[in-house]
Short mmCIF file of all heavy atoms in Angstrom, two decimals:
data_model
loop_
_atom_site.label_atom_id
_atom_site.label_comp_id
_atom_site.label_asym_id
_atom_site.label_seq_id
_atom_site.Cartn_x
_atom_site.Cartn_y
_atom_site.Cartn_z
N GLY A 241 -9.36 -39.12 14.45
CA GLY A 241 -10.61 -39.19 13.81
C GLY A 241 -11.47 -38.01 13.86
O GLY A 241 -12.51 -38.02 13.22
N ARG A 242 -11.12 -36.96 14.60
CA ARG A 242 -11.90 -35.73 14.67
C ARG A 242 -10.88 -34.62 14.71
O ARG A 242 -9.93 -34.68 15.47
CB ARG A 242 -12.75 -35.67 15.97
CG ARG A 242 -13.81 -36.68 16.07
CD ARG A 242 -14.51 -36.39 17.40
NE ARG A 242 -15.45 -37.47 17.76
CZ ARG A 242 -15.10 -38.62 18.39
NH1 ARG A 242 -13.81 -38.85 18.84
NH2 ARG A 242 -16.01 -39.49 18.69
N ILE A 243 -11.22 -33.56 14.00
CA ILE A 243 -10.32 -32.37 13.99
C ILE A 243 -11.18 -31.12 14.33
O ILE A 243 -12.23 -30.91 13.79
CB ILE A 243 -9.70 -32.16 12.63
CG1 ILE A 243 -8.91 -33.38 12.14
CG2 ILE A 243 -8.84 -30.90 12.54
CD1 ILE A 243 -7.51 -33.55 12.67
N VAL A 244 -10.59 -30.29 15.17
CA VAL A 244 -11.15 -28.97 15.45
C VAL A 244 -10.11 -27.89 15.12
O VAL A 244 -8.95 -27.98 15.58
CB VAL A 244 -11.55 -28.81 16.90
CG1 VAL A 244 -12.04 -27.38 17.24
CG2 VAL A 244 -12.61 -29.83 17.32
N THR A 245 -10.40 -26.97 14.26
CA THR A 245 -9.45 -25.92 14.00
C THR A 245 -9.88 -24.60 14.76
O THR A 245 -11.03 -24.40 14.90
CB THR A 245 -9.41 -25.57 12.48
OG1 THR A 245 -10.68 -25.15 12.02
CG2 THR A 245 -8.97 -26.77 11.62
N VAL A 246 -8.84 -23.89 15.18
CA VAL A 246 -9.14 -22.72 16.00
C VAL A 246 -8.25 -21.57 15.47
O VAL A 246 -6.98 -21.66 15.45
CB VAL A 246 -8.77 -23.00 17.51
CG1 VAL A 246 -9.10 -21.76 18.31
CG2 VAL A 246 -9.52 -24.20 18.02
N GLU A 247 -8.88 -20.48 15.14
CA GLU A 247 -8.10 -19.33 14.59
C GLU A 247 -8.93 -18.05 14.85
O GLU A 247 -10.13 -18.03 14.83
CB GLU A 247 -7.95 -19.48 13.13
CG GLU A 247 -9.23 -19.57 12.30
CD GLU A 247 -8.98 -20.00 10.87
OE1 GLU A 247 -8.03 -19.51 10.26
OE2 GLU A 247 -9.78 -20.80 10.36
N ASP A 248 -8.21 -16.94 15.03
CA ASP A 248 -8.84 -15.61 15.06
C ASP A 248 -8.81 -14.98 13.67
O ASP A 248 -7.98 -14.12 13.38
CB ASP A 248 -8.11 -14.75 16.12
CG ASP A 248 -8.91 -13.46 16.40
OD1 ASP A 248 -9.92 -13.23 15.77
OD2 ASP A 248 -8.43 -12.73 17.27
N HIS A 249 -9.64 -15.47 12.82
CA HIS A 249 -9.65 -15.26 11.35
C HIS A 249 -10.91 -15.80 10.80
O HIS A 249 -11.55 -16.74 11.46
CB HIS A 249 -8.38 -15.88 10.74
CG HIS A 249 -8.25 -15.66 9.28
ND1 HIS A 249 -8.94 -16.39 8.32
CD2 HIS A 249 -7.48 -14.84 8.58
CE1 HIS A 249 -8.54 -16.04 7.08
NE2 HIS A 249 -7.64 -15.05 7.19
N THR A 250 -11.38 -15.37 9.64
CA THR A 250 -12.56 -16.02 9.10
C THR A 250 -12.31 -17.48 8.87
O THR A 250 -11.19 -17.84 8.40
CB THR A 250 -13.04 -15.34 7.82
OG1 THR A 250 -14.10 -16.10 7.25
CG2 THR A 250 -11.90 -15.24 6.72
N VAL A 251 -13.28 -18.29 9.13
CA VAL A 251 -13.14 -19.74 8.90
C VAL A 251 -13.14 -20.05 7.39
O VAL A 251 -12.80 -21.18 6.99
CB VAL A 251 -14.25 -20.59 9.53
CG1 VAL A 251 -14.17 -20.43 11.13
CG2 VAL A 251 -15.65 -20.18 9.00
N ILE A 252 -13.49 -19.10 6.58
CA ILE A 252 -13.47 -19.31 5.14
C ILE A 252 -12.13 -19.03 4.58
O ILE A 252 -11.64 -17.88 4.58
CB ILE A 252 -14.49 -18.36 4.41
CG1 ILE A 252 -15.94 -18.64 4.98
CG2 ILE A 252 -14.44 -18.47 2.96
CD1 ILE A 252 -17.01 -17.69 4.55
N GLY A 253 -11.46 -20.08 4.19
CA GLY A 253 -10.16 -19.87 3.50
C GLY A 253 -8.99 -19.74 4.46
O GLY A 253 -7.85 -19.64 3.97
N GLY A 254 -9.22 -19.71 5.77
CA GLY A 254 -8.12 -19.54 6.69
C GLY A 254 -7.57 -20.89 7.07
O GLY A 254 -7.53 -21.89 6.22
N LEU A 255 -7.09 -21.05 8.30
CA LEU A 255 -6.56 -22.30 8.80
C LEU A 255 -7.60 -23.43 8.63
O LEU A 255 -7.27 -24.47 8.08
CB LEU A 255 -6.21 -22.21 10.26
CG LEU A 255 -5.81 -23.49 10.96
CD1 LEU A 255 -4.44 -24.00 10.48
CD2 LEU A 255 -5.76 -23.29 12.47
N GLY A 256 -8.88 -23.12 9.02
CA GLY A 256 -9.91 -24.12 8.87
C GLY A 256 -10.08 -24.56 7.43
O GLY A 256 -10.25 -25.74 7.13
#
Side-chain angles (χ1 to χ4, degrees):
Chain A
R242 296 179 189 88
I243 302 278
V244 175
T245 59
V246 183
E247 61 190 316
D248 190 355
H249 180 278
T250 174
V251 295
I252 300 173
L255 172 70

